[in-house]
Amino acid sequence: EVQLVESGGGVVRPGGSLRLSCAASGFTFDDYGMSWVRQAPGKGLEWVSAINWSDGNTGYADSVKGRFTISRDNARNSLYLQMNSLRAEDTALYHCSRRRAGHLDYWGQGTLVTVSS
Amino acid sequence: AIQLTQSPSSLSVSVGDRITITCRASQGISSNLAWYQQKPGRTPKLLIHDVSSLENGVPSRFSGSGSGTDFTLTISSLQPEDFATYYCQQFNSYPHSFGQGTKLEIK
């Protein structure tokens, strides 16, 4: 059974940093690309970032480019999102998801990030 | 960046209705489009990928079509469990944007 479990969320002040983790199990992690998607309270889905399985190529939403960094550790079956210079508008539930040829077929339950002074 | 515009933003419908949701891309995205369903408090569920391919286990009343910049999700006969919010997503090029969502509400 595919499982994706996020951690690392919390309350942080504007300008602060957080590192989110996603522990993957139930599939061969290094055969798949991975993504982060967030959802602000009461709002729609916002794609944040993705990383390929093969060449480590990455992509970012314009809203986070230069502030967030996605990475993966295939030996640990883990995905990460380093978030710097956090803003109030980054407050959201952050999901990691598995990419299967682009679309997202499995999603974690998410970890909540709150940016507030 | 490619923008996806869904219409309508919400729809008041009844069980048994046939509904169509439209997703328009600001530029061509080939067949790199997926549809997701999200119920309150739940994670999104993949319904359709590559415009028209039904994900395993998704009922056949769901279907997708389109090409280039214009795409549709159709539910042929709404069931009570279909009341949810639906999102399209393009993965043709980074950033892989979502539409703003279409919420189906009970009439």
Side-chain angles (χ1 to χ4, degrees):
Chain A
E1 179 194 4
V2 172
Q3 285 198 318
L4 299 169
V5 180
E6 302 91 339
S7 60
V11 180
V12 62
R13 295 190 185 280
S17 298
L18 276 177
R19 187 194 196 208
L20 306 184
S21 299
C22 172
S25 60
F27 64 102
T28 303
F29 184 69
D30 49 7
D31 280 350
Y32 290 87
M34 299 293 293
S35 289
W36 288 98
V37 176
R38 69 185 181 184
Q39 189 165 31
K43 302 297 185 182
L45 301 174
E46 181 184 11
W47 182 88
V48 174
S49 183
I51 186 166
N52 286 356
W53 66 271
S54 54
D55 58 6
N57 185 36
T58 59
Y60 297 92
D62 290 345
S63 58
V64 307
K65 196 174 293 183
R67 300 188 298 123
F68 291 11
T69 303
I70 191 171
S71 62
R72 62 189 296 161
D73 183 339
N74 290 339
R76 295 179 183 271
N77 290 346
S78 293
L79 177 72
Y80 305 101
L81 187 68
Q82 177 66 44
M83 305 187 298
N84 298 331
S85 303
L86 282 161
R87 306 167 180 168
E89 55 265 35
D90 296 318
T91 294
L93 186 65
Y94 284 73
H95 298 275
C96 78
S97 52
R98 189 180 82 167
R99 292 174 59 197
R100 193 182 80 215
H103 51 270
L104 307 175
D105 62 350
Y106 284 92
W107 297 63
Q109 293 298 314
T111 186
L112 183 62
V113 172
T114 303
V115 184
S116 174
S117 55
Chain B
I2 297 173
Q3 314 292 330
L4 294 182
T5 303
Q6 285 183 236
S7 60
S9 297
S10 63
L11 200 51
S12 184
V13 292
S14 301
V15 172
D17 284 353
R18 176 184 179 92
I19 70 100
T20 297
I21 298 169
T22 297
C23 178
R24 174 163 290 172
S26 58
Q27 62 191 77
I29 57 172
S30 187
S31 298
N32 298 313
L33 185 99
W35 290 94
Y36 303 86
Q37 176 194 65
Q38 188 179 31
K39 297 180 180 179
R42 306 290 296 273
T43 60
K45 174 186 175 182
L46 176 65
L47 295 177
I48 289 172
H49 59 89
D50 303 308
V51 176
S52 59
S53 296
L54 210 60
E55 182 68 354
N56 288 343
V58 174
S60 59
R61 63 181 178 272
F62 291 90
S63 63
S65 65
S67 64
T69 60
D70 294 318
F71 304 89
T72 59
L73 171 70
T74 298
I75 309 175
S76 60
S77 178
L78 265 169
Q79 298 303 300
E81 60 268 30
D82 300 336
F83 289 93
T85 300
Y86 294 83
Y87 297 91
C88 57
Q89 185 213 6
Q90 68 82 19
F91 45 93
N92 188 71
S93 62
Y94 287 144
H96 291 176
S97 43
F98 286 93
Q100 81 277 17
T102 296
K103 184 174 183 179
L104 298 189
E105 298 172 312
I106 300 173
K107 186 182 288 183

